[in-house]
Amino acid sequence: MRTTTHPGAAATLGLCLSAVIALAAAASCVRDDGAGDLERRAQEINSTVMCPVCPGESIDQSQNPLAERMRGIVMDRLRAGWTERQIKDHFVESYGDSVLLSPPARGISLLAWILPPVAAAAAVVGVVLAMRAMRRGREPAEVLEGAELTGDEYAEYAERVERALGDREPGP
């Protein structure tokens, strides 16, 4: 006995197979790097502490041996139950405030937090004032545009023009 297949069955089977492949590909893209909570916390701290040897690099980025030792200290302290604040304070005590990528909001470092917004606000105010001054510079011309001269004013104006032109020597 011969079975007949529906002409759309092959297309449906192909569509289902494509969906299964797409789901398998999507599932394989999920990243599980095996980093537990402790490793994640260490990475967060490492990204906020600057390497004392490499300016502008966190100990997370730096390949310097000192940065490697500092990463080990972070992990050891986390295993011992230290908090993020305690670990950062330990590094600040050893290397000073400059070891933190974000300066603390106290003392002279407070200027690093206050100055940029103040400078931005001053720049905005300066631009607004400059635009107002430029706009004011055009207003008298607009006011005079529709003004009519009286007979006496026109005569005085014409006399001034004649005097100015009379002082000039004739051209070639």
Side-chain angles (χ1 to χ4, degrees):
M1 178 171 171
R2 197 177 119 170
T3 59
T4 59
T5 58
H6 191 281
T12 304
L13 180 63
L15 185 61
C16 288
L17 188 57
S18 297
V20 168
I21 291 172
L23 285 174
S28 69
C29 291
V30 175
R31 181 177 165 205
D32 182 17
D33 56 4
D37 184 48
L38 197 63
E39 287 83 10
R40 267 191 287 280
R41 288 178 53 208
Q43 286 175 351
E44 288 172 9
I45 295 170
N46 292 343
S47 66
T48 61
V49 176
M50 188 166 21
C51 175
V53 179
C54 310
E57 282 189 13
S58 67
I59 61 173
D60 195 33
Q61 298 167 329
S62 177
Q63 299 302 314
N64 188 284
L66 178 59
E68 290 177 19
R69 285 195 301 271
M70 290 172 79
R71 287 192 296 265
I73 291 171
V74 169
M75 187 56 80
D76 291 343
R77 298 292 195 265
L78 284 173
R79 286 187 185 120
W82 286 33
T83 64
E84 178 180 346
R85 182 77 260 148
Q86 289 173 319
I87 294 170
K88 286 182 179 180
D89 288 344
H90 168 74
F91 286 125
V92 167
E93 187 179 302
S94 300
Y95 299 102
D97 282 337
S98 63
V99 78
L100 299 177
L101 285 174
S102 295
R106 65 183 188 319
I108 193 74
S109 297
L110 188 59
L111 288 176
W113 293 101
I114 293 176
L115 230 45
V118 169
V124 168
V125 168
V127 167
V128 168
L129 291 176
M131 290 176 68
R132 282 187 181 174
M134 284 188 249
R135 193 178 297 154
R136 252 187 252 127
R138 285 186 280 183
E139 287 176 6
E142 292 171 0
V143 170
L144 290 177
E145 209 170 273
E148 300 272 335
L149 295 176
T150 64
D152 291 338
E153 291 172 334
Y154 182 77
E156 182 185 339
Y157 174 72
E159 184 182 322
R160 288 174 52 197
V161 169
E162 288 295 325
R163 271 186 285 158
L165 289 176
D167 290 343
R168 292 180 26 184
E169 293 183 19

